[in-house]
Amino acid sequence: MRPPSVRVLYIDDEENNLSAFKASFRRQYEIYTAISAADGLKILQSVDIQVIIADQKMPNTTGVEFFKSITETYPDPIRILLTGYTDIEALADAINHGDIYRYITKPWNDLELHNSIKNAYDAYKAKIDLRNKIAELEKTNDELNRFIYSISHELRAPLVSVIGIVNLVKLENMYNSSGEYWSLIETCSNKLDYYIQKTLQYYKNNKTVAETSEIDFKTLVTELIEVHAYADKDTQFTVNVVQNMPFKGDLFRIEVILGNLISNAIKYQKVNELNKKVNIDIEVGAALAEISISDNGMGILNEHLEKIFTQFFKSKVHHGSGLGLFIVKEALNKINGRIAVSSDVDNGTTFTITIPNAK
């Protein structure tokens, strides 16, 4: 098999250098030459060049200036600079900005230049291969996410039916007629429903484009408490919302963030605690909303505080999916929000959130 043809563009304002270069390398490479940076740009616009060699000292545009000018429009070709004099500042500037792969002094040595072109082509090929692999991985990941979303969505329909049947059994006072079986069915169904909802939240958070709408925090928090506290009427909520001005933000993600934190505050209360409490304080300003959610639950160990936002992290005490707080952090990242946590195993946990006001 013949080696792949490497397309090389050489730019120099001296005709003799262009002729010498073409004579030396025309058998090994597909050579294109240009007498100026402007002519070189025209060739780039019509030919898929892989390696560019440019002379530094040209009258209108230096080699470094030319490389900088094409960094964004033609980022893929690998750049080699030829210089016949010592220009340390120009070379350092070009290398620091990633504009050149290598520089070679003039007059060049044929073997050195040949090896440089070969290595430059290898670097070009590696760059393109990496990009293709990343694109392939992104496509596979996207297909996997859509598959998981589809399966989760389909699973939830029959699961909701099972939960509905359990509720009918309760209404007909048959819940305790078969020992603990109905209770076990309800517990397992609710657990599965929780995992499915977390999976759907994760997918939607990754895919949903941010949509800004006006948010009334008092109404939102009240609705979320009603949704998440239906199974635990013992927890007492104290809500203090100070909102004297409009707040605009991504309602879906803010609902996901607050919903997960409120759900956790209820779920991780101490079993024997007689006075279960959750305090929610929200203050809305012109620039951002500051939110604090505190509970007197079982708390988080100090050594776990840095890990709780990690995907699938579970402690021996907190038996969750390991997704809730990870989703909270991801959702906050999408809307440029911030979160901090302080906790004590005796006194409970406080999450502090700031969310920019998009108005």
Side-chain angles (χ1 to χ4, degrees):
M1 289 180 64
R2 291 183 62 189
S5 180
V6 182
R7 292 179 292 278
V8 181
L9 169 63
Y10 175 38
I11 306 171
D12 198 319
D13 64 321
E14 295 182 34
E15 285 276 8
N16 291 339
N17 290 337
L18 297 177
S19 299
F21 180 84
K22 200 161 191 174
S24 298
F25 297 106
R26 61 186 172 81
R27 296 181 184 277
Q28 295 135 305
Y29 308 112
E30 187 177 324
I31 302 296
Y32 297 84
T33 58
I35 196 80
S36 67
D39 287 347
L41 187 58
K42 288 178 184 176
I43 293 171
L44 279 174
Q45 290 166 350
S46 57
V47 181
D48 185 17
I49 295 295
Q50 295 154 333
V51 179
I52 305 173
I53 302 170
D55 183 34
Q56 166 63 6
K57 193 175 182 182
M58 294 188 288
N60 296 319
T61 306
T62 67
V64 169
E65 288 169 348
F66 174 71
F67 285 149
K68 283 186 179 180
S69 71
I70 63 167
T71 299
E72 291 186 11
T73 48
Y74 299 97
D76 292 334
I78 306 300
R79 301 151 171 79
I80 296 173
L81 187 72
L82 285 179
T83 176
Y85 65 103
T86 304
D87 190 349
I88 299 299
E89 280 191 24
L91 291 176
D93 187 44
I95 292 168
N96 288 338
H97 286 85
D99 295 311
I100 66 167
Y101 168 74
R102 185 163 294 174
Y103 79 91
I104 294 172
T105 56
K106 291 171 67 178
W108 66 76
N109 175 283
D110 280 4
L111 179 60
E112 181 189 6
L113 189 51
H114 171 64
N115 287 333
S116 295
I117 293 171
K118 275 180 60 182
N119 292 336
Y121 175 71
D122 289 341
Y124 171 86
K125 193 163 170 288
K127 183 195 291 189
I128 300 302
D129 288 347
L130 179 60
R131 180 189 299 154
N132 291 337
K133 285 176 182 175
I134 289 171
E136 190 177 330
L137 283 172
E138 286 175 344
K139 183 184 175 185
T140 303
N141 186 56
D142 186 56
E143 289 172 352
L144 180 61
N145 279 336
R146 280 190 280 114
F147 172 75
I148 291 170
Y149 175 79
S150 178
I151 290 295
S152 300
H153 199 270
E154 293 300 320
L155 281 173
R156 193 150 192 266
L159 183 60
V160 168
S161 297
V162 172
I163 294 170
I165 291 168
V166 172
N167 289 331
L168 283 174
V169 168
K170 285 181 178 179
L171 288 172
E172 295 179 8
N173 296 318
M174 297 171 61
Y175 190 74
N176 298 315
S177 62
S178 304
E180 295 182 355
Y181 291 133
W182 285 113
S183 175
L184 287 170
I185 291 171
E186 182 180 35
T187 301
C188 292
S189 298
N190 286 334
K191 199 168 190 179
L192 182 56
D193 186 45
Y194 172 80
Y195 282 120
I196 289 173
Q197 287 193 59
K198 287 290 171 277
T199 303
L200 293 172
Q201 278 186 1
Y202 174 73
Y203 176 84
K204 287 180 181 177
N205 180 53
N206 278 342
K207 294 297 176 185
T208 304
V209 177
E211 291 184 5
T212 302
S213 57
E214 199 157 309
I215 296 171
D216 181 337
F217 278 101
K218 192 162 190 177
T219 302
L220 177 60
V221 170
T222 302
E223 290 173 354
L224 288 171
I225 290 172
E226 287 178 5
V227 168
H228 293 284
Y230 74 95
D232 184 349
K233 303 297 183 184
D234 297 331
T235 303
Q236 300 298 312
F237 283 84
T238 302
V239 180
N240 179 37
V241 178
V242 179
Q243 184 173 0
N244 299 318
M245 59 185 64
F247 183 93
K248 288 192 174 182
D250 187 333
L251 179 59
F252 165 72
R253 290 189 171 89
I254 292 173
E255 191 172 336
V256 165
I257 293 160
L258 297 180
N260 274 290
L261 293 176
I262 290 170
S263 173
N264 282 355
I266 297 168
K267 189 193 307 179
Y268 297 120
Q269 286 287 342
K270 296 169 187 170
V271 177
N272 300 321
E273 177 62 53
L274 299 176
N275 186 24
K276 299 176 182 178
K277 295 185 296 185
V278 176
N279 298 324
I280 301 175
D281 296 296
I282 301 176
E283 186 171 348
V284 177
L288 49 83
E290 295 181 349
I291 303 166
S292 171
I293 299 177
S294 304
D295 64 63
N296 62 339
M298 56 184 67
I300 304 166
L301 295 172
N302 283 333
E303 57 264 34
H304 292 162
L305 286 176
E306 292 183 4
K307 304 174 186 176
I308 59 173
F309 298 107
T310 306
Q311 193 174 19
F312 302 123
F313 173 75
K314 297 181 184 180
S315 70
K316 292 179 180 179
V317 180
H318 302 85
H319 304 292
S321 64
L323 276 174
L325 289 176
F326 172 75
I327 291 170
V328 166
K329 189 71 165 63
E330 290 291 296
L332 280 165
N333 288 341
K334 295 278 187 182
I335 58 175
N336 298 318
R338 297 288 181 269
I339 188 167
V341 57
S342 60
S343 189
D344 186 282
V345 290
D346 295 320
N347 299 314
T349 304
T350 298
F351 286 95
T352 306
I353 307 157
T354 57
I355 301 174
N357 192 341
K359 78 180 183 60

mmCIF file of all heavy atoms in Angstrom, residues 282-300:
data_model
loop_
_atom_site.group_PDB
_atom_site.id
_atom_site.type_symbol
_atom_site.label_atom_id
_atom_site.label_comp_id
_atom_site.label_asym_id
_atom_site.label_seq_id
_atom_site.Cartn_x
_atom_site.Cartn_y
_atom_site.Cartn_z
ATOM 1 N N ILE A 282 -35.692 32.337 51.956
ATOM 2 C CA ILE A 282 -35.365 32.807 50.603
ATOM 3 C C ILE A 282 -35.423 34.325 50.570
ATOM 4 O O ILE A 282 -36.418 34.921 51.004
ATOM 5 C CB ILE A 282 -36.342 32.231 49.554
ATOM 6 C CG1 ILE A 282 -36.290 30.702 49.575
ATOM 7 C CG2 ILE A 282 -36.010 32.762 48.162
ATOM 8 C CD1 ILE A 282 -37.293 30.038 48.652
ATOM 9 N N GLU A 283 -34.364 34.930 50.083
ATOM 10 C CA GLU A 283 -34.333 36.384 49.926
ATOM 11 C C GLU A 283 -33.952 36.699 48.478
ATOM 12 O O GLU A 283 -32.891 36.295 48.001
ATOM 13 C CB GLU A 283 -33.343 37.024 50.892
ATOM 14 C CG GLU A 283 -33.388 38.538 50.861
ATOM 15 C CD GLU A 283 -32.574 39.187 51.977
ATOM 16 O OE1 GLU A 283 -32.166 38.470 52.916
ATOM 17 O OE2 GLU A 283 -32.341 40.401 51.891
ATOM 18 N N VAL A 284 -34.837 37.406 47.808
ATOM 19 C CA VAL A 284 -34.629 37.716 46.395
ATOM 20 C C VAL A 284 -34.129 39.135 46.237
ATOM 21 O O VAL A 284 -34.740 40.083 46.741
ATOM 22 C CB VAL A 284 -35.944 37.528 45.601
ATOM 23 C CG1 VAL A 284 -35.745 37.916 44.134
ATOM 24 C CG2 VAL A 284 -36.434 36.093 45.711
ATOM 25 N N GLY A 285 -33.000 39.273 45.557
ATOM 26 C CA GLY A 285 -32.443 40.591 45.287
ATOM 27 C C GLY A 285 -32.421 40.870 43.795
ATOM 28 O O GLY A 285 -32.820 40.042 42.977
ATOM 29 N N ALA A 286 -31.922 42.039 43.443
ATOM 30 C CA ALA A 286 -31.872 42.423 42.025
ATOM 31 C C ALA A 286 -30.916 41.532 41.248
ATOM 32 O O ALA A 286 -31.142 41.232 40.075
ATOM 33 C CB ALA A 286 -31.446 43.879 41.905
ATOM 34 N N ALA A 287 -29.841 41.080 41.904
ATOM 35 C CA ALA A 287 -28.817 40.295 41.206
ATOM 36 C C ALA A 287 -29.017 38.796 41.353
ATOM 37 O O ALA A 287 -28.756 38.033 40.422
ATOM 38 C CB ALA A 287 -27.428 40.677 41.702
ATOM 39 N N LEU A 288 -29.488 38.376 42.530
ATOM 40 C CA LEU A 288 -29.602 36.939 42.749
ATOM 41 C C LEU A 288 -30.578 36.616 43.869
ATOM 42 O O LEU A 288 -30.997 37.501 44.628
ATOM 43 C CB LEU A 288 -28.229 36.326 43.055
ATOM 44 C CG LEU A 288 -27.334 37.003 44.119
ATOM 45 C CD1 LEU A 288 -27.708 36.573 45.517
ATOM 46 C CD2 LEU A 288 -25.873 36.665 43.866
ATOM 47 N N ALA A 289 -30.935 35.342 43.955
ATOM 48 C CA ALA A 289 -31.763 34.836 45.050
ATOM 49 C C ALA A 289 -30.868 34.006 45.964
ATOM 50 O O ALA A 289 -30.094 33.175 45.498
ATOM 51 C CB ALA A 289 -32.903 33.994 44.512
ATOM 52 N N GLU A 290 -30.971 34.258 47.270
ATOM 53 C CA GLU A 290 -30.214 33.487 48.250
ATOM 54 C C GLU A 290 -31.196 32.570 48.973
ATOM 55 O O GLU A 290 -32.189 33.026 49.547
ATOM 56 C CB GLU A 290 -29.501 34.414 49.233
ATOM 57 C CG GLU A 290 -28.429 35.272 48.573
ATOM 58 C CD GLU A 290 -27.706 36.164 49.571
ATOM 59 O OE1 GLU A 290 -28.178 36.253 50.725
ATOM 60 O OE2 GLU A 290 -26.686 36.756 49.197
ATOM 61 N N ILE A 291 -30.905 31.291 48.978
ATOM 62 C CA ILE A 291 -31.816 30.286 49.528
ATOM 63 C C ILE A 291 -31.081 29.452 50.562
ATOM 64 O O ILE A 291 -29.953 29.002 50.325
ATOM 65 C CB ILE A 291 -32.352 29.367 48.405
ATOM 66 C CG1 ILE A 291 -33.041 30.203 47.321
ATOM 67 C CG2 ILE A 291 -33.312 28.320 48.966
ATOM 68 C CD1 ILE A 291 -33.300 29.445 46.041
ATOM 69 N N SER A 292 -31.728 29.234 51.703
ATOM 70 C CA SER A 292 -31.170 28.388 52.752
ATOM 71 C C SER A 292 -32.218 27.347 53.143
ATOM 72 O O SER A 292 -33.363 27.693 53.420
ATOM 73 C CB SER A 292 -30.780 29.232 53.970
ATOM 74 O OG SER A 292 -30.424 28.402 55.055
ATOM 75 N N ILE A 293 -31.814 26.082 53.128
ATOM 76 C CA ILE A 293 -32.705 24.990 53.534
ATOM 77 C C ILE A 293 -32.009 24.223 54.652
ATOM 78 O O ILE A 293 -30.963 23.604 54.439
ATOM 79 C CB ILE A 293 -33.032 24.062 52.349
ATOM 80 C CG1 ILE A 293 -33.739 24.861 51.246
ATOM 81 C CG2 ILE A 293 -33.894 22.886 52.808
ATOM 82 C CD1 ILE A 293 -34.043 24.060 49.998
ATOM 83 N N SER A 294 -32.587 24.299 55.862
ATOM 84 C CA SER A 294 -31.980 23.674 57.042
ATOM 85 C C SER A 294 -32.919 22.637 57.633
ATOM 86 O O SER A 294 -34.141 22.795 57.594
ATOM 87 C CB SER A 294 -31.680 24.734 58.121
ATOM 88 O OG SER A 294 -30.856 25.756 57.603
ATOM 89 N N ASP A 295 -32.340 21.567 58.181
ATOM 90 C CA ASP A 295 -33.143 20.562 58.886
ATOM 91 C C ASP A 295 -32.427 20.156 60.165
ATOM 92 O O ASP A 295 -31.258 20.482 60.362
ATOM 93 C CB ASP A 295 -33.371 19.335 57.990
ATOM 94 C CG ASP A 295 -32.079 18.614 57.640
ATOM 95 O OD1 ASP A 295 -31.409 18.095 58.551
ATOM 96 O OD2 ASP A 295 -31.725 18.570 56.448
ATOM 97 N N ASN A 296 -33.141 19.478 61.037
ATOM 98 C CA ASN A 296 -32.532 18.958 62.261
ATOM 99 C C ASN A 296 -32.432 17.433 62.179
ATOM 100 O O ASN A 296 -32.646 16.718 63.154
ATOM 101 C CB ASN A 296 -33.328 19.380 63.500
ATOM 102 C CG ASN A 296 -34.743 18.830 63.494
ATOM 103 O OD1 ASN A 296 -35.268 18.474 62.436
ATOM 104 N ND2 ASN A 296 -35.368 18.753 64.663
ATOM 105 N N GLY A 297 -32.115 16.955 60.970
ATOM 106 C CA GLY A 297 -32.039 15.523 60.713
ATOM 107 C C GLY A 297 -30.738 14.897 61.154
ATOM 108 O O GLY A 297 -30.020 15.425 62.011
ATOM 109 N N MET A 298 -30.409 13.768 60.500
ATOM 110 C CA MET A 298 -29.285 12.951 60.972
ATOM 111 C C MET A 298 -27.917 13.532 60.607
ATOM 112 O O MET A 298 -26.893 13.074 61.102
ATOM 113 C CB MET A 298 -29.405 11.530 60.421
ATOM 114 C CG MET A 298 -29.502 11.431 58.917
ATOM 115 S SD MET A 298 -29.755 9.735 58.341
ATOM 116 C CE MET A 298 -31.395 9.405 58.970
ATOM 117 N N GLY A 299 -27.860 14.541 59.732
ATOM 118 C CA GLY A 299 -26.588 15.193 59.423
ATOM 119 C C GLY A 299 -25.691 14.356 58.522
ATOM 120 O O GLY A 299 -25.986 13.205 58.182
ATOM 121 N N ILE A 300 -24.573 14.972 58.138
ATOM 122 C CA ILE A 300 -23.616 14.332 57.221
ATOM 123 C C ILE A 300 -22.232 14.377 57.865
ATOM 124 O O ILE A 300 -21.819 15.420 58.401
ATOM 125 C CB ILE A 300 -23.575 15.079 55.867
ATOM 126 C CG1 ILE A 300 -24.978 15.144 55.257
ATOM 127 C CG2 ILE A 300 -22.617 14.397 54.898
ATOM 128 C CD1 ILE A 300 -25.096 16.130 54.111
#
